Amino acid sequence: MTAPAKLTDRIGPVQWVRSVLFVFQMYLAMAVMGVLYFPWAMLSRRGARAACRHYCLWVRWTASWMVGLKTEIRGKVPTGEVLIASKHQSFLDIIMIFSVVPAGKFIMKRELLWTPILGQYALRIGCVPVERGKRGQAISRMLKDVKSGLVEPGQLIIYPQGTRVSPGVTKPYKVGAALLSEQTGQSCVPAATNVGLFWPRKGIWRKPGLAVVEFLPQIKPGLARETFMIRLETEVEAASDRLMQEAGYEPDQGHRDA
């Protein structure tokens, strides 16, 4: 399997050290903020959201001066009761999206519930846990919760490819976003990104540059399922390619995900 194409500049030893220090403080900050905000978070969902948002803003700020990684949000930030269907390349796109939407919640892997601090806060902000390969169950559960009033209004964030996907790797889009839009009657906001060029899906190195998440025009409900999925994939992939090329990336069109 051929490795995906990469940016031409290299990571030196100083940047590796900066990356290690950044990652260390990032997880230390997660623990410290998690403990400090815990009483408020357990009493109020507002407290849990405040903790998560402040942590996300902290990570964005420290990344900018510790490793030279700037972050930018483009497009109109969704604020109503909508779906957000985003390209997912690393933890950074999660951080960036949650830092700007007012009431974000994710469809997440169930095993993350056992992650200290992260799991407890994920439940408090309204995330929907799902077992691998059983995304349909998550959709059914969320629709049931919406109808019974258990889920508060907000922005449900779904990753239509189902996992983090490295730049240059292709992976099919799953139908969950179309089903959710169809059955809830909510508009879907596609989101593109290039964050994987600077913050990979695995590993500790962080690269200087400008990481972007871009919110694209809404896809209104009512489209045929196949039409919806074609439009979602086409728009997200085209915009993500554009953002990556803007950052100096030359995609390898022949690379496929294993």
Side-chain angles (χ1 to χ4, degrees):
M1 182 175 68
T2 305
K6 299 179 180 179
L7 295 174
T8 55
D9 51 324
R10 301 175 64 182
I11 300 297
V14 174
Q15 189 67 20
W16 276 100
V17 173
R18 295 172 70 188
S19 296
V20 171
L21 293 174
F22 168 74
V23 171
F24 174 78
Q25 70 81 30
M26 182 182 80
Y27 287 108
L28 177 61
M30 180 185 291
V32 171
M33 289 189 185
V35 171
L36 291 177
Y37 277 91
F38 192 76
W40 186 19
M42 293 304 102
L43 289 172
S44 167
R45 183 162 292 186
R46 180 183 173 189
R49 285 178 180 154
C52 295
R53 180 168 295 107
H54 291 160
Y55 174 72
C56 291
L57 292 171
W58 172 266
V59 173
R60 292 181 63 183
W61 178 66
T62 54
S64 69
W65 60 268
M66 290 190 73
V67 293
L69 178 52
K70 310 295 184 181
T71 54
E72 179 179 307
I73 302 293
R74 297 181 185 174
K76 183 178 180 181
V77 176
T79 57
E81 198 167 353
V82 297
L83 307 174
I84 299 174
S86 176
K87 185 77 173 175
H88 187 23
Q89 294 184 337
S90 75
F91 187 34
L92 182 56
D93 51 66
I94 293 176
I95 289 170
M96 291 176 66
I97 291 173
F98 194 86
S99 73
V100 294
V101 298
K105 49 187 180 278
F106 298 83
I107 290 183
M108 57 178 277
K109 299 173 184 176
R110 179 169 292 276
E111 53 263 36
L112 292 177
L113 292 179
W114 305 107
T115 304
I117 301 175
L118 185 63
Q120 289 80 3
Y121 276 90
L123 285 179
R124 289 297 293 149
I125 65 174
C127 292
V128 181
V130 55
E131 294 181 19
R132 286 182 180 271
K134 296 183 179 180
R135 189 168 296 267
Q137 290 184 6
I139 294 170
S140 298
R141 173 185 165 180
M142 193 213 66
L143 290 171
K144 181 179 178 181
D145 288 350
V146 168
K147 291 177 181 178
S148 62
L150 298 178
V151 175
E152 293 184 4
Q155 302 78 46
L156 180 67
I157 302 151
I158 184 171
Y159 293 109
Q161 291 174 292
T163 189
R164 292 167 295 177
V165 180
S166 299
V169 175
T170 58
K171 191 172 182 65
Y173 279 53
K174 300 180 181 181
V175 74
L179 291 173
L180 285 169
S181 179
E182 177 183 302
Q183 296 183 43
T184 63
Q186 294 178 358
S187 295
C188 175
V189 178
T193 191
N194 67 355
V195 301
L197 297 177
F198 311 101
W199 182 318
R201 61 189 293 267
K202 295 181 179 179
I204 62 171
W205 70 262
R206 304 291 183 262
K207 199 166 191 174
L210 179 62
V212 179
V213 166
E214 181 175 353
F215 294 110
L216 306 174
Q218 291 188 7
I219 301 176
K220 298 293 185 181
L223 294 178
R225 196 174 300 171
E226 183 177 357
T227 303
F228 179 101
M229 291 307 302
I230 291 173
R231 180 175 168 186
L232 175 65
E233 181 171 356
T234 300
E235 293 182 2
V236 170
E237 291 300 311
S240 295
D241 285 347
R242 170 175 49 78
L243 293 175
M244 290 190 290
Q245 289 168 3
E246 179 182 304
Y249 178 77
E250 297 179 3
D252 177 3
Q253 299 295 336
H255 184 66
R256 305 291 298 184
D257 195 14

